Amino acid sequence: VAAFHCDRLLIDGSPVRDVRIETDSAGRIASVSPGAVAAGGDLRLGTVVPGMANAHSHAFHRLLRGTTNAEGGDFWRWRDSMYRVAGALDPGLMFLVARAVFAEMVVSGYTAVGEFHYLHHRHDGSPYEPPHAMERAIASAARDIGIRLVLLDASYLDGGIGRPLEPRQRAFGDGSAGAWLARWHSLRRVIESDRVTLGAAIHSVRAVSPAAMAEIRDGVPEHTPLHIHVSEQPRENEECLAAYGETPVGVLAGLGLLTPRLSLVHATHLTADDRRLIAASGATVVMCPTTEADLGDGIGPAFELASRGAHIGIGSDQNAVVDPLLEMRGLEAGERLASGRRGRFGPGELLAAATGNGYASLGLGSGVLRPGDHCDLVELDTGSVRTIGSVVDQLPLSATASDVLRVIVGGTLVADRGVLVEHTGRRPEDLLRDAIAAVGRGAA
Ligand SMILES: [Zn+2]
């Protein structure tokens, strides 16, 4: 049983001195004692925040980082490039890429990731043999690195509203909601373990019809986290209105899908009715500020949603940036740029988005270091060139992933100053170099 002593622990955004944390044999928190002295066997930490959740990731999009910025265009042009990368992957390569990206996440302070996964099948749409090869590859990658994984297995049935999948989308599709559900339940029997759980996702209103969404709503167990991309681009709203006479959020509301188990990803282009419906529902909105800026999506109404009661989480989405602190800062930066006012989200609210709200969105408990929560911790350097002189509770607005020191998942040290503890001194860049080279060569 591991125990930790923190010189300072940010609890609900405020620093508390000399906190001793004891864990149970399952890596969950048994007790949190402020004002305690360290015992002999404790791992002594400096300034600590709760583990941070990346509530929306597509690991393989990392392969596009630094390669698409001369293309110009818009989201849809970028998507063409992304489909080319998807078309180059098989389970062996997916393992290498996901492992490297999860490694970057964990040294950057993400202790949990919701991997929104839709690349299920061979490129002609036929299933892998043995089954679930892609999903097993992603789960193995997470286990290998020690990050907590919620595999958000996504249904992706149509190539746009009322259109069949395009040839380059065939690997995403299961044919029907019933077939997706059968695969999901089969996967659930084989994939879950200590740090790996299975969640569910509907790709978007572009890719799943209302009738299929209703089947998925009824076919997935009640408390399973359910995620969906919503209104990232105006074109999605226009097509949805033309087909169904409702916005995407309106379609979800009509199906009874707006509930606390739902997380809406992006939610950039919302009507006043959409905002009201989301705020009243108890759902989470996962903002992906670095991706939304990179793709020119727009600035979603995060502060307005939060001030009306919606929960806001953060995600790295395309992984062009893997840095929970920069996502927090991006969330507030968008608000400041759009409103002309500072401090729309306080530092404590930003940290709550990255910690408790993200954990809850992924079905991982409260994520705020209460007894029974996972013992997931991140130590931050308060004396770096970026952070020295910062008030501790304002670290979310001065630190970056470069200031992450030790990272603990389930009471186990998994990363230390950029080094992967269980990989004999290797760093994420070593794994990324290997993964990118293997993708360049073709098969793993
Ligand atoms: Zn996404």
Side-chain angles (χ1 to χ4, degrees):
V1 175
F4 304 89
H5 184 274
C6 312
D7 289 344
R8 280 181 301 203
L9 176 66
L10 278 151
I11 299 178
D12 297 329
S14 300
V16 179
R17 289 262 174 200
D18 293 315
V19 182
R20 188 160 187 268
I21 300 172
E22 289 183 302
T23 65
D24 64 18
S25 57
R28 290 178 182 266
I29 290 175
S31 66
V32 177
S33 312
V37 291
D42 291 1
L43 182 63
R44 300 197 60 159
L45 303 166
T47 297
V48 175
V49 297
M52 293 179 274
N54 182 356
H56 188 70
S57 159
H58 310 280
F60 77 88
H61 293 189
R62 167 61 181 82
L63 293 167
L64 292 166
R65 186 191 298 179
T67 69
T68 61
N69 295 296
E71 290 173 1
D74 57 11
F75 169 87
W76 307 100
R77 171 75 193 271
W78 172 87
R79 195 179 72 156
D80 291 339
S81 302
M82 184 271 282
Y83 282 166
R84 277 199 299 280
V85 170
L89 295 176
D90 62 17
L93 292 170
M94 179 64 94
F95 170 76
L96 294 176
V97 172
R99 184 175 68 158
V101 176
F102 293 158
E104 183 180 3
M105 287 179 193
V106 89
V107 304
S108 302
Y110 284 125
T111 47
V113 57
E115 175 67 15
F116 194 111
H117 165 65
Y118 53 85
L119 192 51
H120 303 299
H121 303 302
R122 293 181 203 277
H123 300 295
D124 64 2
S126 63
Y128 284 104
E129 199 53 56
H132 311 306
M134 277 295 198
E135 292 73 26
R136 286 173 185 270
I138 293 168
S140 298
R143 286 190 195 102
D144 198 63
I145 295 303
I147 198 168
R148 196 176 295 290
L149 170 69
V150 179
L151 185 63
L152 298 164
D153 189 286
S155 52
Y156 196 125
L157 304 175
D158 306 322
I161 294 174
R163 293 200 299 271
L165 292 175
E166 300 170 22
R168 59 188 184 166
Q169 296 169 324
R170 281 187 193 134
F172 313 159
D174 290 289
S176 69
W180 177 82
L181 278 165
R183 187 175 57 72
W184 190 90
H185 283 281
S186 162
L187 177 60
R188 192 168 185 234
R189 286 190 287 274
V190 299
I191 203 120
E192 295 200 331
S193 65
D194 179 24
R195 291 187 196 169
V196 176
T197 50
L198 185 65
I202 293 166
H203 181 275
S204 59
V205 296
R206 290 183 268 128
V208 182
S209 70
M213 284 191 213
E215 236 182 297
I216 289 165
R217 175 198 64 205
D218 296 339
V220 168
E222 193 183 339
H223 296 293
T224 303
L226 181 64
H227 285 223
I228 180 169
H229 292 117
V230 170
S231 297
E232 180 175 9
Q233 285 286 325
R235 192 170 108 189
E236 173 182 305
N237 290 1
E238 291 155 17
E239 290 176 356
C240 188
L241 273 166
Y244 307 126
E246 297 272 9
T247 63
V249 170
V251 169
L252 298 175
L255 290 167
L257 277 163
L258 285 183
T259 66
R261 83 162 174 181
L262 189 73
S263 290
L264 303 108
V265 181
H266 301 304
T268 310
H269 302 283
L270 300 181
T271 66
D273 274 350
D274 292 343
R275 297 170 201 210
R276 185 178 51 74
L277 287 166
I278 293 170
S281 71
T284 299
V285 176
V286 180
M287 296 285 175
C288 307
T290 66
T291 290
E292 288 147 8
D294 183 80
L295 298 180
D297 289 335
I299 302 169
F303 176 72
E304 189 195 331
L305 289 167
S307 58
R308 290 188 186 190
H311 309 286
I312 307 295
I314 55 151
S316 66
D317 194 3
Q318 59 157 335
N319 297 306
V321 174
V322 172
D323 186 330
L325 292 136
L326 290 187
E327 298 298 345
M328 285 184 242
R329 202 164 317 161
L331 188 61
E332 169 64 4
E335 293 295 331
R336 292 188 188 184
L337 288 165
S339 71
R341 298 190 63 83
R342 305 180 77 231
R344 303 270 279 184
F345 285 106
E349 292 164 313
L350 294 173
L351 194 60
T355 57
N357 294 356
Y359 268 64
S361 156
L362 295 173
L364 294 173
S366 85
V368 291
L369 306 182
R370 303 233 163 85
D373 280 344
H374 297 295
C375 183
D376 297 352
L377 307 170
V378 176
E379 182 186 32
L380 294 176
D381 187 351
T382 57
S384 80
V385 70
R386 288 164 294 278
T387 58
I388 194 159
S390 293
V391 177
V392 171
D393 49 6
Q394 295 189 23
L395 282 170
L397 290 150
S398 61
T400 71
S402 299
D403 300 308
V404 170
L405 301 174
R406 285 170 287 185
V407 178
I408 287 121
V409 178
T412 303
L413 183 68
V414 295
D416 188 348
R417 294 172 174 80
V419 174
L420 302 162
V421 170
E422 287 170 38
H423 274 262
T424 57
R426 294 187 88 197
R427 292 174 174 271
E429 50 268 45
D430 303 323
L431 303 180
L432 281 160
R433 189 185 315 113
D434 292 350
I436 290 166
V439 173
R441 284 195 304 271

